[in-house]
């Protein structure tokens, strides 16, 4: 009987270990990025990307958790196995694909310039000549600036877009350059609607701006990639994706098929 009890105890421990290993840890930036993710009054994460994460986890039938890190620490933390998948509006680019893998995309929106209301609209190099552009560090927009704007305009980098928005509203910089949806959320805020307007979307460059936002994975995690891709496809097919999107947007953010 004692042997049976020991065997049962061992089996229980083994099953517990399997359950623990099944948890998928999602890494997100530790700053608000509405409408994709932000903390509510109780400190809980909410937003479009959080809702999609929960739907994907339901499809995978996995327990999921959130790990918070700074934006520029996400890829190093993924590689050191502090979590399992970057789920933080990260674009799938050729440069990033050298060091990590990506799931299928789950949304794709253009990159945009915003500036003061009295600024002449335009998002080409001639439009930003002799101006200062605020950009979040380690972003595709920073890479785009270096290729297209560096010869004519200055770059001021920020750890978060919120810091850039504050400087724009205060007149300390001339533009903020970022993802159109994040910038649109600022323009609709009390601070943004009184100061600023959209200047335009920049010309596309798929090498720099990427093929859309995807989940970032370690290259060896092929099984998890397959499960995430299947779950993303299922959520798209069963209508859950559209249901989630309609809660936050009045248009389809998936982008061109």
């Amino acid at each position: 009987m004692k042997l049976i009890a020991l065997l049962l105890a061992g089996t229980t421990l083994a099953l517990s270990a399997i359950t623990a290993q099944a948890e998928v840890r999602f890494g997100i930036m530790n700053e608000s990025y509405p409408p994709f993710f932000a903390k509510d009054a109780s400190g809980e994460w909410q937003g479009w990307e959080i809702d999609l994460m929960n739907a994907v986890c339901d499809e995978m039938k996995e327990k999921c958790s959130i790990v918070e890190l700074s934006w520029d620490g996400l890829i190093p933390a993924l590689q050191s196995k502090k979590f399992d998948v970057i789920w933080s509006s990260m674009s799938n680019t050729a440069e990033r694909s050298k060091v990590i893998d990506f799931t299928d995309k789950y949304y794709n929106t253009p990159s945009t310039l915003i500036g003061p209301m009295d600024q002449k609209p335009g998002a080409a190099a001639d439009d930003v000549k002799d101006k200062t552009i605020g950009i979040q560090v380690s972003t595709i927009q920073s890479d785009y600036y270096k290729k297209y704007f560096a010869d004519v305009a200055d770059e001021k980098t920020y750890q978060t877009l919120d810091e850039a928005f504050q400087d724009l509203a205060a007149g300390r910089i001339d533009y903020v350059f970022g993802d159109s949806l994040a910038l649109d959320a600022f323009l609709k805020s009390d601070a943004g609607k009184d100061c600023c307007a959209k200047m335009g979307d920049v010309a596309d460059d798929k090498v720099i701006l990427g093929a859309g936002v995807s989940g970032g994975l370690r290259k060896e995690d092929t099984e998890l990639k397959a499960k995430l891709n299947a779950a993303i496809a299922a959520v798209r097919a069963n209508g859950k994706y559209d249901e989630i999107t309609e809660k936050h947007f009045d248009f389809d953010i998936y982008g061109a098929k």
Side-chain angles (χ1 to χ4, degrees):
M1 293 295 292
K2 188 177 290 186
L3 178 59
I4 292 173
L6 287 171
L7 288 171
L8 288 173
T11 302
T12 301
L13 286 172
L15 288 173
S16 297
I18 291 169
T19 302
Q21 290 169 0
E23 180 179 2
V24 181
R25 299 165 299 167
F26 285 70
I28 69 170
M29 181 173 67
N30 59 3
E31 297 284 342
S32 294
Y33 191 64
F36 295 100
F37 47 88
K39 285 187 176 179
D40 61 20
S42 67
E44 295 294 318
W45 286 103
Q46 52 84 36
W48 182 89
E49 214 156 354
I50 304 301
D51 290 345
L52 183 64
M53 179 196 78
N54 290 331
V56 165
C57 288
D58 287 345
E59 285 293 333
M60 293 193 299
K61 295 179 172 54
E62 300 280 15
K63 178 183 177 182
C64 296
S65 61
I66 290 175
V67 178
E68 307 172 26
L69 292 103
S70 64
W71 169 259
D72 54 357
L74 286 172
I75 290 178
L78 174 70
Q79 292 173 312
S80 60
K81 300 188 176 182
K82 292 182 179 177
F83 58 83
D84 305 301
V85 52
I86 297 172
W87 199 261
S88 195
S89 289
M90 181 171 282
S91 295
N92 175 356
T93 66
E95 192 65 26
R96 289 172 180 155
S97 292
K98 293 176 183 177
V99 292
I100 63 173
D101 201 358
F102 285 94
T103 67
D104 295 337
K105 78 164 186 180
Y106 52 83
Y107 82 85
N108 192 16
T109 49
S111 290
T112 298
L113 281 167
I114 62 172
M117 287 181 175
D118 58 359
Q119 184 78 15
K120 181 181 177 182
D126 288 345
D127 300 307
V128 301
K129 188 175 181 181
D130 300 324
K131 303 294 185 180
T132 299
I133 306 172
I135 307 174
Q136 188 178 14
V137 296
S138 301
T139 59
I140 56 175
Q141 287 80 24
S142 186
D143 293 336
Y144 191 97
Y145 162 85
K146 291 175 177 64
K147 180 175 179 179
Y148 292 100
F149 298 148
D151 290 341
V152 297
D154 294 325
E155 178 188 28
K156 185 172 182 181
T157 58
Y158 297 86
Q159 288 299 312
T160 70
L161 274 178
D162 282 344
E163 294 169 321
F165 293 149
Q166 291 170 17
D167 274 2
L168 179 64
R172 291 187 285 267
I173 57 176
D174 302 296
Y175 296 98
V176 171
F177 183 31
D179 181 84
S180 61
L181 291 181
L183 272 54
D184 184 62
F186 168 71
L187 293 178
K188 291 177 180 177
S189 70
D190 290 339
K193 66 186 179 184
D194 291 333
C195 75
C196 307
K198 180 176 177 177
M199 297 293 105
D201 298 335
V202 299
D204 194 19
D205 182 329
K206 283 189 166 49
V207 173
I208 294 176
L209 298 181
V213 167
S214 305
L217 298 149
R218 291 179 289 273
K219 287 184 177 290
E220 65 268 25
D221 288 345
T222 54
E223 183 178 347
L224 178 58
K225 178 181 177 178
K227 291 175 71 172
L228 284 164
N229 282 343
I232 292 168
V235 169
R236 290 272 303 155
N238 65 20
K240 190 65 178 178
Y241 183 98
D242 292 338
E243 180 184 326
I244 291 168
T245 299
E246 287 169 5
K247 287 172 52 182
H248 301 276
F249 305 103
D250 56 6
F251 60 97
D252 180 12
I253 69 168
Y254 188 74
K257 306 299 189 290

